[in-house]
C-alpha cells in the first residue's frame, strides 16, 4: 500500500467529521446572497439585498461603529499581549529569578481557569477602579487572561535561541537591552507574529467579557452587535440578514488565518520547550 492510500482512511474520517461544519458555512454564504421561497430549500434568485445593512444603519444599526470598536479592542489586546509576553518570556527563559519553577507552574494553572469562573471577581475589581463598562476595562481583562499562554509560548521561543548568540553581543560591549532588541527579538519574530495573530483572533471572537463587563451600547463590539440583532421571535426578523452580518463578522478572521496559518502552527512547536 502506497503512502497516499495509507492516508485515505484518515482523510475519509476527517472529511466526515468536518462535513456538517462545511455544510453550515456553505449555507451561510449561499443564504446571504440569495432568496429562497418559503416552501423550498433551494434558492431561486441572486440578491445583494441582505447586505444593505452596510450602507443603511436603520436596518440593523451601524455596523461600522461596532467594527471600529472591535478593531480597537482586538489590536489593543494583541499589542499588550505581544509586549508583555515578549519581555516576560525573556525574563523566565534567561534570568535566574527566585521561585522561577513555581512561577511557571502558576502561569499554567492561571491559563487553565475558565474566564467565566473569574467574571464576578473581575466585575468587582473593575467597579472598584472605575473601569467597568469601558473599552479599556475589557481590553485589560482579555489581555490578562491571554498573557499566561503568551508568556509560556514566548519562553519556548527564547529557549530555542542559542545562549552563545547573546553572549557574543554582551562580550562585544552591547548592553542587555540592546542585545535583546537587536539580536534576540529578530530570532523570535515568527513567534511574536503568531502570538499577535492568535491574540487578535481570540479578541475578535470574544463575546462573554464584552457582553458582561461592557453592557451598554456605547462600546458594542461585533460579537455583541450580532447577538443584539438576533430576535427570532420578531415578525420582522430576517434570518438571511443575520447570516450576512455573521459572514461579515467572520471574514477578517478567515483572511488572518489564511495569511498566518503556517506561523500559527509554528507557535505550538515553539512554545512546547519548557
Amino acid at each position: 500500500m502506497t503512502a497516499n492510500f495509507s492516508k485515505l482512511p484518515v482523510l475519509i474520517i476527517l472529511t466526515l467529521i468536518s462535513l456538517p461544519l462545511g455544510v453550515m458555512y456553505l449555507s451561510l454564504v449561499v443564504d446571504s446572497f440569495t432568496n429562497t421561497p418559503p416552501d423550498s430549500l433551494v434558492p431561486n434568485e441572486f440578491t445583494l439585498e441582505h447586505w444593505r445593512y452596510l450602507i443603511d444603519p436603520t436596518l440593523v444599526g451601524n455596523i461600522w461603529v461596532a467594527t471600529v470598536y472591535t478593531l480597537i479592542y482586538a489590536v489593543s489586546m494583541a499589542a499588550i499581549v505581544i509586549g508583555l509576553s515578549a519581555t516576560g518570556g525573556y525574563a523566565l527563559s534567561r534570568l535566574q529569578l527566585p521561585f522561577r519553577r513555581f512561577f511557571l507552574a502558576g502561569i499554567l494553572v492561571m491559563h487553565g481557569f475558565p474566564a467565566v469562573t473569574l467574571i464576578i471577581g473581575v466585575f468587582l475589581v473593575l467597579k472598584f477602579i472605575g473601569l467597568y463598562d469601558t473599552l479599556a476595562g475589557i481590553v485589560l481583562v482579555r489581555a490578562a487572561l491571554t498573557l499566561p499562554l503568551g508568556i509560556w509560548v514566548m519562553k519556548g521561543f527564547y529557549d530555542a535561541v542559542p545562549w552563545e548568540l547573546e553572549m557574543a553581543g554582551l562580550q562585544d560591549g552591547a548592553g542587555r537591552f540592546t542585545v535583546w532588541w537587536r539580536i534576540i527579538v529578530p530570532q523570535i519574530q515568527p513567534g511574536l507574529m503568531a502570538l499577535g495573530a492568535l491574540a487578535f483572533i481570540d479578541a475578535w471572537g470574544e463575546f462573554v467579557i464584552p457582553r458582561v463587563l461592557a453592557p451598554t451600547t456605547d462600546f458594542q463590539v461585533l460579537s455583541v452587535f450580532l447577538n443584539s440583532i438576533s430576535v427570532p421571535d420578531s415578525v420582522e426578523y430576517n434570518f438571511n440578514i443575520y447570516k450576512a452580518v455573521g459572514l461579515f463578522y467572520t471574514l477578517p478572521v478567515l483572511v488572518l488565518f489564511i495569511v498566518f496559518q503556517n506561523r500559527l502552527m509554528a507557535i505550538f512547536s515553539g512554545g512546547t520547550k519548557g
Side-chain angles (χ1 to χ4, degrees):
M1 182 180 291
T2 64
N4 289 335
F5 279 105
S6 66
K7 295 177 182 175
L8 192 58
V10 178
L11 291 175
I12 292 174
I13 292 173
L14 289 177
T15 302
L16 290 175
I17 294 174
S18 307
L19 190 59
L21 196 61
V23 171
M24 284 190 288
Y25 276 113
L26 182 63
S27 166
L28 186 71
V29 175
V30 171
D31 289 348
S32 63
F33 287 102
T34 59
N35 280 326
T36 304
D39 56 348
S40 173
L41 293 176
V42 181
N44 63 346
E45 63 175 354
F46 174 83
T47 179
L48 294 176
E49 180 186 358
H50 311 311
W51 292 84
R52 281 190 299 115
Y53 67 87
L54 292 175
I55 57 175
D56 185 2
T58 62
L59 203 56
V60 293
N62 194 332
I63 194 171
W64 295 111
V65 173
T67 303
V68 170
Y69 279 127
T70 309
L71 276 174
I72 295 173
Y73 172 56
V75 171
S76 303
M77 185 267 201
I80 292 174
V81 169
I82 289 175
L84 295 183
S85 298
T87 50
Y90 177 80
L92 289 173
S93 174
R94 292 294 201 256
L95 305 181
Q96 294 301 319
L97 301 173
F99 308 108
R100 178 172 169 274
R101 294 183 67 83
F102 177 78
F103 190 66
L104 283 171
I107 287 176
L108 282 182
V109 171
M110 283 191 291
H111 181 63
F113 271 100
V116 69
T117 62
L118 306 172
I119 206 73
I120 295 176
V122 171
F123 166 78
L124 293 174
V125 171
L126 289 183
K127 286 285 283 186
F128 180 75
I129 63 178
L131 289 180
Y132 174 70
D133 207 9
T134 65
L135 191 58
I138 61 174
V139 168
L140 291 177
V141 170
R142 186 63 258 178
L145 293 172
T146 309
L147 268 177
L149 174 66
I151 292 174
W152 186 265
V153 167
M154 291 318 302
K155 178 191 173 297
F157 277 94
Y158 281 118
D159 288 346
V161 178
W163 174 246
E164 292 77 11
L165 200 63
E166 191 169 350
M167 283 301 296
L170 294 172
Q171 288 174 353
D172 286 342
R176 197 82 189 235
F177 179 80
T178 303
V179 170
W180 173 75
W181 181 251
R182 293 182 177 274
I183 298 177
I184 305 301
V185 169
Q187 302 294 321
I188 61 160
Q189 206 170 39
L192 291 175
M193 293 176 65
L195 182 62
L198 192 67
F200 183 92
I201 293 173
D202 190 27
W204 190 270
E206 178 64 47
F207 171 72
V208 174
I209 289 175
R211 180 70 183 86
V212 175
L213 301 179
T216 69
T217 56
D218 294 342
F219 308 100
Q220 198 175 50
V221 295
L222 277 173
S223 58
V224 180
F225 178 86
L226 188 62
N227 177 69
S228 69
I229 66 172
S230 174
V231 281
D233 293 335
S234 170
V235 292
E236 298 178 351
Y237 182 64
N238 189 326
F239 195 45
N240 286 343
I241 292 182
Y242 180 77
K243 288 184 176 181
V245 175
L247 187 58
F248 174 84
Y249 176 45
T250 309
L251 283 178
V253 175
L254 287 177
V255 172
L256 200 66
F257 180 78
I258 292 171
V259 173
F260 288 98
Q261 57 178 320
N262 291 332
R263 297 192 185 280
L264 285 172
M265 293 304 294
I267 198 172
F268 296 103
S269 59
T272 54
K273 300 178 180 180

